[in-house]
Amino acid sequence: MEQSNFIKHICQQAISVCKNTKLFPSLMIAQACLESNYGRSRLSSLHHNYFGIKASAGWKGDSVIYSTQEYVHGKIITVKQPFRSYSTLTDGFADRVRFLQVNKRYTINGVFSSPTPEEQAKAFLKAGYATDPAYPQKLISIIQKYNLKQYDL
């Protein structure tokens, strides 16, 4: 799927699940773009997991194992990890919001109190959402490139 078509495909879902959460739809869209390679990853296209959410020990739903790259001590390594699997795009986006709300590290590190999508991107890194130190800048670049702030109603 072309990048702009992918954004059109997910934008209403992002707007819907972000409503009344203090999450920015622009950032959620950028995260889905980056994490799923614009919907091209197998995890997103087959399992509706657009955010790379892992299936921790407490996860009660379906899961699937995939290789993933992580930054450990400044180096990229490849590891196999269980990831959450969803039946629909709606289920994947809704669970992503629940995941953020129940994991206190996102509140503690300012995800829900960030005044801008750019600050929220930095808060995600601070909270340990991603291991890539360039994660916030990658998201900000996607927001700017595709004018995603238009979805922050």
Side-chain angles (χ1 to χ4, degrees), residues 79-95:
V79 294
K80 290 189 182 267
Q81 295 281 319
F83 289 90
R84 296 179 183 195
S85 178
Y86 307 102
S87 299
T88 66
L89 171 87
T90 300
D91 291 345
F93 272 67
D95 185 62

Side-chain angles (χ1 to χ4, degrees), residues 6-23:
F6 175 72
I7 291 167
K8 288 176 189 168
H9 177 67
I10 66 166
C11 71
Q12 290 305 315
Q13 193 63 53
I15 291 167
S16 176
V17 299
C18 287
K19 190 173 184 178
N20 301 318
T21 66
K22 298 188 179 176
L23 295 170

